Amino acid sequence: MRLAWVELREFRNHAFTRINPVPNGLIVAVGPNGEGKTNLLEGMFFVFALASPRVSANAPVVRDGGDAAYARGEVETLGGRMLVEVEIPNRGASRVKLNRNPVRRKRDVRRQVRGVFFGPDDLDIVRGDASRRRRFLDEALVALWPLKETLLTTYDRVVRQRNRLLREWEGRGEPPALEAWDGELAQAGAAVMRARRDVVAAVAPSASEEFVALAGYALETTYGPNVGAVGGELEEAIRERLRERRADELARRTCLVGPHRDDVELAVRDLGARAFASHGEAWAAALCLRLGLAKAVEREIGEPPVLLVDDPFSALDPRRRDLVAERLARRGGQVVVSVADEADVPEAAHATWDVQAGRVAPRTGA
Amino acid sequence: MYEGPIQELIDELSRLPGIGPKSAQRLAFWLVKAPADDAKRLARAIVEAKERIAFCRECGNVAEGDLCRICRDPGRDVTTLCVVEEPKDAATIEKAGVVKGRYHILGGAISPLDGVGPEDLRVQELLDRVARDHVIEVILATNPNLEGNATAMYVAAMLTPFGVRVTRLASGLPVGGDLEYADEVTLSQALEGRREM
Protein backbone atom coordinates (compact mmCIF):
# COMPACT_ATOMS: atom_id res chain seq x y z
CA MET A 1 0.00 0.00 0.00
CA ARG A 2 1.33 3.41 -0.90
CA LEU A 3 0.27 7.00 -0.40
CA ALA A 4 0.71 8.53 -3.87
CA TRP A 5 0.18 12.14 -2.84
CA VAL A 6 -1.19 14.05 0.12
CA GLU A 7 -2.60 17.51 0.70
CA LEU A 8 -3.36 19.30 3.97
CA ARG A 9 -5.26 22.57 4.21
CA GLU A 10 -5.87 24.60 7.36
CA PHE A 11 -4.57 21.58 9.24
CA ARG A 12 -2.92 22.68 12.52
CA ASN A 13 0.03 24.83 11.39
CA HIS A 14 -0.15 23.64 7.78
CA ALA A 15 -2.01 26.36 5.86
CA PHE A 16 -1.42 24.51 2.63
CA THR A 17 0.91 21.55 2.24
CA ARG A 18 0.87 19.42 -0.85
CA ILE A 19 3.35 16.64 -1.41
CA ASN A 20 3.20 15.09 -4.83
CA PRO A 21 4.49 12.52 -5.35
CA VAL A 22 5.17 10.88 -2.00
CA PRO A 23 8.17 8.64 -2.69
CA ASN A 24 8.47 4.97 -1.80
CA GLY A 25 10.55 3.47 0.95
CA LEU A 26 11.80 5.25 4.06
CA ILE A 27 11.03 8.96 4.09
CA VAL A 28 12.39 11.17 6.86
CA ALA A 29 10.73 14.45 7.81
CA VAL A 30 13.29 16.58 9.60
CA GLY A 31 12.99 19.92 11.36
CA PRO A 32 13.15 21.57 14.78
CA ASN A 33 10.42 21.01 17.35
CA GLY A 34 7.15 22.87 16.83
CA GLU A 35 7.58 23.31 13.07
CA GLY A 36 4.88 20.84 12.05
CA LYS A 37 6.41 17.36 11.65
CA THR A 38 3.99 15.63 13.98
CA ASN A 39 1.12 17.61 12.43
CA LEU A 40 2.19 16.39 9.00
CA LEU A 41 2.16 12.76 10.13
CA GLU A 42 -1.14 13.29 11.90
CA GLY A 43 -2.63 14.75 8.72
CA MET A 44 -1.37 11.81 6.70
CA PHE A 45 -2.92 9.44 9.24
CA PHE A 46 -6.29 11.14 8.71
CA VAL A 47 -6.27 9.89 5.13
CA PHE A 48 -6.16 6.32 6.45
CA ALA A 49 -7.99 6.34 9.77
CA LEU A 50 -10.25 9.41 9.28
CA ALA A 51 -9.34 10.39 12.83
CA SER A 52 -6.43 11.76 14.78
CA PRO A 53 -4.10 9.42 16.64
CA ARG A 54 -3.63 12.17 19.25
CA VAL A 55 -6.99 13.79 20.01
CA SER A 56 -10.61 12.73 19.80
CA ALA A 57 -12.13 16.18 19.21
CA ASN A 58 -11.93 17.96 15.87
CA ALA A 59 -11.32 21.53 16.99
CA PRO A 60 -7.60 21.27 17.89
CA VAL A 61 -6.86 19.97 14.39
CA VAL A 62 -8.28 23.05 12.67
CA ARG A 63 -5.77 25.85 12.08
CA ASP A 64 -6.35 28.91 14.28
CA GLY A 65 -9.09 31.08 12.86
CA GLY A 66 -10.25 28.47 10.34
CA ASP A 67 -13.68 26.84 10.13
CA ALA A 68 -12.48 23.46 8.93
CA ALA A 69 -9.34 21.51 8.18
CA TYR A 70 -8.94 19.33 5.11
CA ALA A 71 -6.83 16.23 4.55
CA ARG A 72 -6.80 14.62 1.11
CA GLY A 73 -4.70 11.94 -0.45
CA GLU A 74 -4.66 9.14 -2.92
CA VAL A 75 -3.69 5.66 -1.84
CA GLU A 76 -2.58 2.91 -4.19
CA THR A 77 -3.72 -0.48 -2.93
CA LEU A 78 -3.93 -3.98 -4.35
CA GLY A 79 -7.64 -3.26 -4.68
CA GLY A 80 -7.13 -0.12 -6.77
CA ARG A 81 -6.58 3.60 -6.29
CA MET A 82 -8.48 5.22 -3.45
CA LEU A 83 -8.93 8.97 -3.30
CA VAL A 84 -9.76 9.83 0.30
CA GLU A 85 -10.94 13.31 1.23
CA VAL A 86 -11.71 14.34 4.80
CA GLU A 87 -13.28 17.63 5.81
CA ILE A 88 -12.83 18.24 9.52
CA PRO A 89 -15.07 21.09 10.74
CA ASN A 90 -14.48 22.92 14.01
CA ARG A 91 -17.82 21.66 15.22
CA GLY A 92 -19.77 18.62 14.19
CA ALA A 93 -18.78 15.40 12.50
CA SER A 94 -16.15 15.05 9.78
CA ARG A 95 -17.30 14.54 6.22
CA VAL A 96 -15.56 11.87 4.22
CA LYS A 97 -15.46 11.12 0.51
CA LEU A 98 -14.03 8.04 -1.14
CA ASN A 99 -13.34 8.41 -4.86
CA ARG A 100 -15.52 11.53 -4.78
CA ASN A 101 -18.53 9.73 -3.29
CA PRO A 102 -19.71 10.67 0.20
CA VAL A 103 -19.11 7.89 2.72
CA ARG A 104 -21.66 7.24 5.42
CA ARG A 105 -19.78 4.65 7.43
CA LYS A 106 -16.13 5.25 8.20
CA ARG A 107 -15.40 1.55 8.21
CA ASP A 108 -16.12 1.48 4.47
CA VAL A 109 -12.97 3.58 3.99
CA ARG A 110 -10.92 2.01 6.76
CA ARG A 111 -11.16 -1.43 5.23
CA GLN A 112 -9.77 -0.13 1.93
CA VAL A 113 -6.78 1.88 3.19
CA ARG A 114 -4.60 1.04 6.16
CA GLY A 115 -2.08 3.10 8.07
CA VAL A 116 -0.35 2.52 11.41
CA PHE A 117 0.84 5.41 13.57
CA PHE A 118 3.43 5.46 16.33
CA GLY A 119 3.99 8.54 18.48
CA PRO A 120 5.66 9.43 21.79
CA ASP A 121 2.27 9.19 23.55
CA ASP A 122 2.39 5.46 22.89
CA LEU A 123 4.85 5.15 25.76
CA ASP A 124 1.71 5.16 27.93
CA ILE A 125 0.73 1.79 26.49
CA VAL A 126 3.63 0.40 28.50
CA ARG A 127 3.81 2.89 31.35
CA GLY A 128 0.22 4.10 31.73
CA ASP A 129 -2.79 2.48 33.32
CA ALA A 130 -4.85 -0.37 31.94
CA SER A 131 -7.24 1.91 30.05
CA ARG A 132 -4.40 2.93 27.74
CA ARG A 133 -3.65 -0.72 26.94
CA ARG A 134 -7.32 -1.44 26.32
CA ARG A 135 -7.33 1.47 23.91
CA PHE A 136 -4.34 0.01 22.10
CA LEU A 137 -6.16 -3.30 21.73
CA ASP A 138 -9.20 -1.53 20.35
CA GLU A 139 -7.16 0.61 17.95
CA ALA A 140 -5.45 -2.56 16.80
CA LEU A 141 -8.81 -4.30 16.38
CA VAL A 142 -10.07 -1.51 14.12
CA ALA A 143 -6.78 -1.46 12.18
CA LEU A 144 -6.87 -5.22 11.64
CA TRP A 145 -10.59 -5.80 11.14
CA PRO A 146 -12.41 -2.48 10.58
CA LEU A 147 -15.80 -4.18 10.39
CA LYS A 148 -15.44 -5.33 13.99
CA GLU A 149 -15.61 -1.77 15.28
CA THR A 150 -19.34 -2.27 15.87
CA LEU A 151 -18.47 -4.78 18.60
CA LEU A 152 -16.81 -1.99 20.55
CA THR A 153 -19.53 0.62 20.07
CA THR A 154 -22.23 -1.92 20.96
CA TYR A 155 -20.46 -2.98 24.13
CA ASP A 156 -19.79 0.61 25.12
CA ARG A 157 -23.49 1.36 24.84
CA VAL A 158 -24.46 -1.69 26.90
CA VAL A 159 -22.18 -0.54 29.70
CA ARG A 160 -23.55 2.99 29.60
CA GLN A 161 -27.15 1.72 29.65
CA ARG A 162 -26.46 -0.67 32.47
CA ASN A 163 -24.49 1.91 34.48
CA ARG A 164 -27.36 4.35 34.19
CA LEU A 165 -29.82 1.70 35.34
CA LEU A 166 -27.67 0.88 38.38
CA ARG A 167 -26.99 4.51 39.20
CA GLU A 168 -30.59 5.69 39.12
CA TRP A 169 -32.20 2.77 40.91
CA GLU A 170 -33.65 4.00 44.23
CA GLY A 171 -35.88 1.05 45.10
CA ARG A 172 -35.25 -2.09 47.08
CA GLY A 173 -33.69 -5.19 45.61
CA GLU A 174 -32.53 -4.84 42.06
CA PRO A 175 -33.91 -2.70 39.25
CA PRO A 176 -36.38 -4.39 36.91
CA ALA A 177 -34.90 -5.54 33.61
CA LEU A 178 -31.38 -5.77 35.08
CA GLU A 179 -31.36 -9.42 34.02
CA ALA A 180 -32.06 -8.39 30.44
CA TRP A 181 -29.07 -6.06 30.51
CA ASP A 182 -26.97 -8.85 32.04
CA GLY A 183 -27.75 -10.88 28.93
CA GLU A 184 -26.76 -8.02 26.65
CA LEU A 185 -23.55 -7.41 28.62
CA ALA A 186 -22.61 -11.09 28.50
CA GLN A 187 -23.22 -11.33 24.78
CA ALA A 188 -21.57 -8.05 23.74
CA GLY A 189 -18.77 -8.45 26.30
CA ALA A 190 -17.91 -11.97 25.16
CA ALA A 191 -17.72 -10.74 21.56
CA VAL A 192 -15.27 -7.98 22.57
CA MET A 193 -13.16 -10.39 24.61
CA ARG A 194 -12.94 -12.91 21.78
CA ALA A 195 -11.93 -10.11 19.40
CA ARG A 196 -9.27 -8.80 21.79
CA ARG A 197 -7.89 -12.29 22.26
CA ASP A 198 -7.57 -12.53 18.47
CA VAL A 199 -5.83 -9.13 18.38
CA VAL A 200 -3.22 -10.20 20.91
CA ALA A 201 -2.72 -13.50 19.11
CA ALA A 202 -2.12 -11.61 15.86
CA VAL A 203 0.11 -8.83 17.22
CA ALA A 204 2.14 -10.41 20.05
CA PRO A 205 4.43 -12.70 18.01
CA SER A 206 5.38 -9.96 15.53
CA ALA A 207 5.90 -7.41 18.31
CA SER A 208 8.21 -9.82 20.09
CA GLU A 209 10.12 -10.52 16.88
CA GLU A 210 10.73 -6.78 16.45
CA PHE A 211 11.78 -6.51 20.09
CA VAL A 212 14.23 -9.40 19.82
CA ALA A 213 15.86 -7.67 16.86
CA LEU A 214 16.42 -4.56 18.99
CA ALA A 215 17.08 -5.92 22.44
CA GLY A 216 18.09 -9.52 21.97
CA TYR A 217 15.33 -10.86 24.20
CA ALA A 218 11.60 -11.38 23.90
CA LEU A 219 8.66 -9.09 24.68
CA GLU A 220 5.77 -11.04 26.11
CA THR A 221 2.29 -9.68 25.51
CA THR A 222 -0.49 -11.52 27.32
CA TYR A 223 -4.16 -10.70 27.23
CA GLY A 224 -5.67 -10.45 30.70
CA PRO A 225 -9.44 -10.69 30.27
CA ASN A 226 -11.59 -9.58 33.19
CA VAL A 227 -13.46 -12.87 33.03
CA GLY A 228 -11.79 -16.10 32.05
CA ALA A 229 -13.71 -19.06 30.79
CA VAL A 230 -12.07 -22.36 31.63
CA GLY A 231 -13.34 -24.74 29.03
CA GLY A 232 -16.86 -23.37 29.19
CA GLU A 233 -18.78 -20.76 27.30
CA LEU A 234 -17.54 -17.21 27.75
CA GLU A 235 -21.07 -15.79 27.83
CA GLU A 236 -22.01 -18.16 30.61
CA ALA A 237 -18.83 -17.30 32.53
CA ILE A 238 -19.69 -13.59 32.37
CA ARG A 239 -23.26 -14.26 33.56
CA GLU A 240 -21.89 -16.35 36.41
CA ARG A 241 -19.50 -13.57 37.46
CA LEU A 242 -22.31 -11.03 37.23
CA ARG A 243 -24.34 -13.15 39.64
CA GLU A 244 -21.38 -13.32 42.02
CA ARG A 245 -20.84 -9.58 41.96
CA ARG A 246 -24.53 -8.63 42.08
CA ALA A 247 -24.47 -7.19 45.62
CA ASP A 248 -21.28 -5.28 44.89
CA GLU A 249 -22.68 -3.83 41.70
CA LEU A 250 -25.87 -2.71 43.43
CA ALA A 251 -23.86 -1.11 46.24
CA ARG A 252 -21.35 0.62 43.98
CA ARG A 253 -23.95 1.33 41.29
CA THR A 254 -21.69 0.57 38.37
CA CYS A 255 -20.75 -2.34 36.09
CA LEU A 256 -17.92 -4.27 37.71
CA VAL A 257 -17.72 -7.17 35.28
CA GLY A 258 -16.74 -7.15 31.62
CA PRO A 259 -14.04 -6.27 29.11
CA HIS A 260 -14.06 -2.61 30.19
CA ARG A 261 -11.95 -3.95 33.05
CA ASP A 262 -9.52 -5.99 30.93
CA ASP A 263 -5.77 -5.51 30.94
CA VAL A 264 -2.80 -6.59 28.91
CA GLU A 265 0.34 -7.80 30.57
CA LEU A 266 3.63 -6.78 29.02
CA ALA A 267 6.81 -8.42 30.24
CA VAL A 268 10.49 -8.53 29.31
CA ARG A 269 13.00 -10.91 30.87
CA ASP A 270 10.25 -12.22 33.16
CA LEU A 271 9.69 -8.77 34.64
CA GLY A 272 6.50 -6.74 34.21
CA ALA A 273 7.36 -4.09 31.63
CA ARG A 274 5.53 -1.34 33.51
CA ALA A 275 7.42 -1.82 36.72
CA PHE A 276 10.84 -2.85 35.58
CA ALA A 277 11.69 -1.83 32.06
CA SER A 278 14.06 1.12 31.68
CA HIS A 279 12.80 4.16 29.81
CA GLY A 280 14.55 3.06 26.63
CA GLU A 281 13.21 -0.44 27.03
CA ALA A 282 9.64 0.77 27.61
CA TRP A 283 9.95 3.00 24.56
CA ALA A 284 11.23 0.12 22.44
CA ALA A 285 8.36 -2.06 23.67
CA ALA A 286 5.76 0.56 22.68
CA LEU A 287 7.38 1.01 19.27
CA CYS A 288 7.56 -2.74 18.74
CA LEU A 289 3.86 -3.14 19.59
CA ARG A 290 3.02 -0.72 16.78
CA LEU A 291 5.46 -2.36 14.37
CA GLY A 292 4.02 -5.73 15.33
CA LEU A 293 0.55 -4.39 14.59
CA ALA A 294 1.75 -3.22 11.16
CA LYS A 295 3.07 -6.72 10.48
CA ALA A 296 -0.20 -8.27 11.58
CA VAL A 297 -2.16 -5.92 9.30
CA GLU A 298 0.16 -6.86 6.44
CA ARG A 299 -0.53 -10.55 7.01
CA GLU A 300 -4.24 -9.82 7.14
CA ILE A 301 -4.52 -7.81 3.90
CA GLY A 302 -1.57 -9.12 1.91
CA GLU A 303 0.31 -5.82 1.59
CA PRO A 304 2.13 -3.61 4.09
CA PRO A 305 0.13 -0.70 5.55
CA VAL A 306 1.68 2.76 5.41
CA LEU A 307 3.70 3.36 8.57
CA LEU A 308 3.79 6.81 10.17
CA VAL A 309 6.41 6.94 12.91
CA ASP A 310 6.66 10.14 14.91
CA ASP A 311 9.95 10.81 16.66
CA PRO A 312 10.97 7.19 17.26
CA PHE A 313 14.67 7.73 17.89
CA SER A 314 14.87 10.27 20.69
CA ALA A 315 14.68 7.74 23.52
CA LEU A 316 16.81 5.07 21.90
CA ASP A 317 20.56 4.63 22.19
CA PRO A 318 22.55 5.03 18.93
CA ARG A 319 22.84 1.29 18.37
CA ARG A 320 19.09 0.69 18.67
CA ARG A 321 18.39 3.81 16.66
CA ASP A 322 20.42 2.43 13.76
CA LEU A 323 18.78 -0.97 14.08
CA VAL A 324 15.30 0.57 13.97
CA ALA A 325 16.19 2.75 10.97
CA GLU A 326 17.68 -0.16 9.13
CA ARG A 327 14.65 -2.37 9.79
CA LEU A 328 12.27 0.38 8.72
CA ALA A 329 14.18 0.91 5.48
CA ARG A 330 14.29 -2.79 4.70
CA ARG A 331 10.66 -3.36 5.60
CA GLY A 332 9.27 -2.84 2.14
CA GLY A 333 6.36 -0.48 1.73
CA GLN A 334 6.19 3.15 2.69
CA VAL A 335 7.41 4.54 6.00
CA VAL A 336 7.40 8.19 7.05
CA VAL A 337 9.56 8.95 10.08
CA SER A 338 9.96 12.31 11.79
CA VAL A 339 13.16 13.38 13.54
CA ALA A 340 14.12 16.66 15.17
CA ASP A 341 17.85 16.37 14.77
CA GLU A 342 19.65 16.33 11.45
CA ALA A 343 22.11 13.87 12.98
CA ASP A 344 19.25 11.41 13.44
CA VAL A 345 18.46 11.21 9.74
CA PRO A 346 19.39 7.62 8.99
CA GLU A 347 21.72 6.85 6.12
CA ALA A 348 19.22 4.32 4.87
CA ALA A 349 16.62 7.04 4.14
CA HIS A 350 15.31 7.06 0.59
CA ALA A 351 14.03 10.64 0.77
CA THR A 352 14.21 13.59 3.13
CA TRP A 353 11.70 16.37 3.72
CA ASP A 354 12.56 19.61 5.48
CA VAL A 355 9.67 20.79 7.65
CA GLN A 356 9.63 24.41 8.74
CA ALA A 357 6.80 26.67 9.87
CA GLY A 358 4.13 24.37 8.50
CA ARG A 359 5.81 23.96 5.13
CA VAL A 360 7.36 20.86 3.69
CA ALA A 361 10.22 20.98 1.21
CA PRO A 362 11.49 17.72 -0.31
CA ARG A 363 15.28 17.76 -0.50
CA THR A 364 16.57 17.21 -4.01
CA GLY A 365 19.60 15.20 -4.93
CA ALA A 366 19.80 13.65 -1.47
CA MET B 1 -34.38 35.86 16.23
CA TYR B 2 -37.61 36.80 14.47
CA GLU B 3 -40.60 38.62 15.85
CA GLY B 4 -44.11 37.60 16.75
CA PRO B 5 -46.00 34.76 15.03
CA ILE B 6 -43.17 33.56 12.80
CA GLN B 7 -40.88 32.98 15.78
CA GLU B 8 -43.72 31.27 17.63
CA LEU B 9 -44.23 28.96 14.67
CA ILE B 10 -40.50 28.20 14.48
CA ASP B 11 -40.42 27.45 18.21
CA GLU B 12 -43.40 25.12 17.95
CA LEU B 13 -42.01 23.28 14.93
CA SER B 14 -38.58 22.83 16.48
CA ARG B 15 -40.22 20.95 19.36
CA LEU B 16 -41.19 18.17 16.95
CA PRO B 17 -39.02 15.05 16.96
CA GLY B 18 -36.24 15.11 14.41
CA ILE B 19 -36.71 18.80 13.64
CA GLY B 20 -33.79 21.06 14.51
CA PRO B 21 -33.84 24.85 14.55
CA LYS B 22 -32.75 25.09 10.91
CA SER B 23 -35.40 22.70 9.62
CA ALA B 24 -38.00 24.46 11.76
CA GLN B 25 -37.07 27.76 10.17
CA ARG B 26 -37.29 26.29 6.67
CA LEU B 27 -40.67 24.72 7.36
CA ALA B 28 -42.01 27.90 8.95
CA PHE B 29 -41.09 30.06 5.98
CA TRP B 30 -42.46 27.47 3.57
CA LEU B 31 -45.77 27.51 5.44
CA VAL B 32 -45.91 31.29 5.52
CA LYS B 33 -45.29 31.49 1.79
CA ALA B 34 -47.61 28.62 0.90
CA PRO B 35 -51.22 29.31 -0.23
CA ALA B 36 -53.52 29.93 2.73
CA ASP B 37 -55.53 26.79 1.89
CA ASP B 38 -52.51 24.52 2.18
CA ALA B 39 -51.62 25.85 5.61
CA LYS B 40 -55.22 25.61 6.80
CA ARG B 41 -55.53 22.04 5.56
CA LEU B 42 -52.44 21.09 7.54
CA ALA B 43 -53.73 22.84 10.66
CA ARG B 44 -57.10 21.10 10.29
CA ALA B 45 -55.44 17.72 9.83
CA ILE B 46 -53.45 18.18 13.03
CA VAL B 47 -56.48 19.29 15.06
CA GLU B 48 -58.64 16.50 13.68
CA ALA B 49 -56.05 13.84 14.28
CA LYS B 50 -55.66 15.07 17.82
CA GLU B 51 -59.41 15.07 18.43
CA ARG B 52 -60.48 11.90 16.70
CA ILE B 53 -57.58 9.54 17.04
CA ALA B 54 -57.23 7.63 20.23
CA PHE B 55 -55.26 4.59 21.23
CA CYS B 56 -56.75 1.15 20.92
CA ARG B 57 -57.59 -0.17 24.38
CA GLU B 58 -56.47 -3.63 23.34
CA CYS B 59 -53.21 -3.27 21.47
CA GLY B 60 -52.27 0.37 22.00
CA ASN B 61 -52.14 1.14 18.29
CA VAL B 62 -53.67 4.34 16.94
CA ALA B 63 -57.41 3.94 16.44
CA GLU B 64 -60.47 5.87 15.49
CA GLY B 65 -62.57 5.03 18.48
CA ASP B 66 -62.20 2.39 21.13
CA LEU B 67 -60.58 -0.35 19.09
CA CYS B 68 -58.22 -0.23 16.13
CA ARG B 69 -59.04 -1.68 12.74
CA ILE B 70 -57.11 -4.91 13.39
CA CYS B 71 -58.52 -5.57 16.85
CA ARG B 72 -62.05 -5.05 15.44
CA ASP B 73 -61.45 -7.59 12.66
CA PRO B 74 -62.91 -10.96 13.78
CA GLY B 75 -60.90 -12.72 11.07
CA ARG B 76 -57.62 -12.05 12.88
CA ASP B 77 -56.21 -14.85 14.99
CA VAL B 78 -56.37 -13.83 18.67
CA THR B 79 -54.00 -16.57 19.79
CA THR B 80 -50.97 -15.08 18.06
CA LEU B 81 -49.63 -11.72 19.25
CA CYS B 82 -46.90 -9.78 17.50
CA VAL B 83 -45.19 -7.41 19.96
CA VAL B 84 -43.66 -4.23 18.52
CA GLU B 85 -42.23 -1.01 19.92
CA GLU B 86 -44.22 1.61 18.03
CA PRO B 87 -47.37 1.86 15.88
CA LYS B 88 -45.16 2.47 12.84
CA ASP B 89 -43.56 -0.94 13.35
CA ALA B 90 -46.97 -2.59 13.28
CA ALA B 91 -47.78 -0.65 10.11
CA THR B 92 -44.57 -1.88 8.47
CA ILE B 93 -45.28 -5.52 9.29
CA GLU B 94 -48.93 -5.09 8.31
CA LYS B 95 -47.93 -3.70 4.93
CA ALA B 96 -45.99 -6.89 4.27
CA GLY B 97 -49.06 -8.89 5.26
CA VAL B 98 -47.03 -11.57 7.00
CA VAL B 99 -48.69 -11.65 10.42
CA LYS B 100 -52.13 -13.27 10.63
CA GLY B 101 -52.54 -12.59 14.33
CA ARG B 102 -52.89 -9.32 16.21
CA TYR B 103 -50.40 -6.77 17.46
CA HIS B 104 -49.36 -5.41 20.78
CA ILE B 105 -47.66 -2.03 20.88
CA LEU B 106 -45.32 -1.53 23.82
CA GLY B 107 -44.87 2.18 23.25
CA GLY B 108 -41.08 2.12 23.14
CA ALA B 109 -38.10 0.11 24.30
CA ILE B 110 -36.28 -0.14 27.61
CA SER B 111 -33.47 2.41 27.63
CA PRO B 112 -32.11 3.69 30.95
CA LEU B 113 -30.14 6.39 29.08
CA ASP B 114 -33.45 7.80 27.83
CA GLY B 115 -35.16 7.26 31.16
CA VAL B 116 -37.42 4.51 29.84
CA GLY B 117 -37.94 1.53 32.15
CA PRO B 118 -40.26 -1.47 31.81
CA GLU B 119 -42.90 0.33 33.89
CA ASP B 120 -43.18 2.92 31.09
CA LEU B 121 -44.13 0.25 28.56
CA ARG B 122 -47.44 -1.59 28.08
CA VAL B 123 -46.09 -4.87 29.44
CA GLN B 124 -48.82 -5.53 32.03
CA GLU B 125 -51.46 -5.04 29.31
CA LEU B 126 -49.66 -7.67 27.25
CA LEU B 127 -49.64 -10.16 30.12
CA ASP B 128 -53.37 -9.52 30.69
CA ARG B 129 -54.14 -10.21 27.05
CA VAL B 130 -52.05 -13.37 27.00
CA ALA B 131 -53.91 -14.74 30.03
CA ARG B 132 -57.37 -13.69 28.86
CA ASP B 133 -57.20 -14.71 25.19
CA HIS B 134 -55.43 -18.06 25.68
CA VAL B 135 -52.61 -16.87 23.48
CA ILE B 136 -50.49 -19.65 21.99
CA GLU B 137 -47.59 -17.69 20.52
CA VAL B 138 -46.04 -14.30 21.22
CA ILE B 139 -43.74 -13.04 18.47
CA LEU B 140 -41.27 -10.47 19.79
CA ALA B 141 -40.68 -8.05 16.94
CA THR B 142 -38.90 -5.25 18.80
CA ASN B 143 -36.06 -3.63 16.88
CA PRO B 144 -32.92 -5.75 16.45
CA ASN B 145 -30.79 -3.24 18.34
CA LEU B 146 -29.51 -3.19 21.90
CA GLU B 147 -32.59 -1.63 23.46
CA GLY B 148 -34.98 -3.74 21.41
CA ASN B 149 -33.13 -6.92 22.38
CA ALA B 150 -33.07 -6.02 26.06
CA THR B 151 -36.80 -5.30 25.87
CA ALA B 152 -37.42 -8.65 24.16
CA MET B 153 -35.39 -10.46 26.83
CA TYR B 154 -37.33 -8.72 29.58
CA VAL B 155 -40.74 -9.44 28.03
CA ALA B 156 -39.76 -13.05 27.35
CA ALA B 157 -38.81 -13.49 31.01
CA MET B 158 -42.14 -12.01 32.12
CA LEU B 159 -44.00 -14.42 29.81
CA THR B 160 -42.29 -17.53 31.14
CA PRO B 161 -44.93 -18.30 33.81
CA PHE B 162 -47.69 -18.31 31.17
CA GLY B 163 -46.17 -21.23 29.28
CA VAL B 164 -46.80 -19.65 25.88
CA ARG B 165 -44.53 -20.10 22.90
CA VAL B 166 -42.27 -17.02 22.72
CA THR B 167 -40.39 -16.36 19.50
CA ARG B 168 -38.07 -13.62 18.30
CA LEU B 169 -37.71 -12.41 14.71
CA ALA B 170 -34.55 -13.79 13.12
CA SER B 171 -31.56 -11.53 12.52
CA GLY B 172 -29.32 -11.93 9.53
CA LEU B 173 -28.59 -10.98 5.99
CA PRO B 174 -31.05 -8.77 4.15
CA VAL B 175 -32.66 -10.37 1.11
CA GLY B 176 -31.10 -8.97 -2.05
CA GLY B 177 -28.09 -7.78 -0.05
CA ASP B 178 -24.41 -8.34 -0.59
CA LEU B 179 -22.35 -10.54 1.74
CA GLU B 180 -19.39 -8.22 1.32
CA TYR B 181 -21.19 -5.36 3.04
CA ALA B 182 -22.50 -7.30 6.01
CA ASP B 183 -20.94 -6.40 9.33
CA GLU B 184 -19.41 -8.89 11.71
CA VAL B 185 -22.33 -9.09 14.13
CA THR B 186 -24.94 -9.57 11.41
CA LEU B 187 -22.84 -12.26 9.78
CA SER B 188 -22.29 -14.17 12.99
CA GLN B 189 -26.00 -14.01 13.79
CA ALA B 190 -26.85 -15.16 10.27
CA LEU B 191 -24.45 -18.05 10.72
CA GLU B 192 -25.95 -18.94 14.11
CA GLY B 193 -29.39 -18.98 12.54
CA ARG B 194 -28.37 -20.96 9.45
CA ARG B 195 -30.70 -23.63 8.15
CA GLU B 196 -30.40 -27.10 6.71
CA MET B 197 -30.95 -27.21 2.94
Side-chain angles (χ1 to χ4, degrees), chain A residues 25-94:
Chain A
L26 175 62
I27 304 158
V28 179
V30 61
N33 288 326
E35 298 288 335
K37 300 183 303 292
T38 300
N39 298 345
L40 172 66
L41 265 58
E42 181 185 30
M44 294 170 101
F45 188 66
F46 254 93
V47 172
F48 296 94
L50 316 176
S52 166
R54 303 155 77 191
V55 290
S56 53
N58 278 345
V61 170
V62 181
R63 190 165 172 257
D64 281 346
D67 293 326
Y70 300 85
R72 307 170 64 220
E74 194 159 3
V75 187
E76 291 170 1
T77 74
L78 291 177
R81 286 178 82 91
M82 308 287 162
L83 171 62
V84 182
E85 298 171 281
V86 194
E87 180 188 345
I88 310 138
N90 248 325
R91 284 147 49 122
S94 305

Side-chain angles (χ1 to χ4, degrees), chain B residues 97-192:
Chain B
V98 287
V99 167
K100 306 293 171 225
R102 295 185 178 183
Y103 294 92
H104 189 87
I105 284 94
L106 290 172
I110 297 173
S111 174
L113 288 172
D114 299 307
V116 180
E119 66 285 355
D120 302 308
L121 305 177
R122 301 179 64 257
V123 177
Q124 190 53 50
E125 289 89 334
L126 173 67
L127 303 181
D128 293 346
R129 280 178 89 187
V130 167
R132 188 196 63 199
D133 293 341
H134 307 291
V135 169
I136 295 166
E137 178 175 2
V138 176
I139 304 165
L140 298 174
T142 51
N143 286 322
N145 55 26
L146 217 55
E147 292 74 19
N149 285 340
T151 307
M153 275 198 230
Y154 173 77
V155 172
M158 299 299 284
L159 284 168
T160 313
F162 294 87
V164 292
R165 179 169 183 233
V166 181
T167 54
R168 176 96 173 101
L169 289 192
S171 286
L173 300 167
V175 176
D178 213 347
L179 262 186
E180 191 195 356
Y181 294 108
D183 65 89
E184 202 78 23
V185 181
T186 308
L187 265 178
S188 73
Q189 295 210 354
L191 199 69
E192 249 169 56

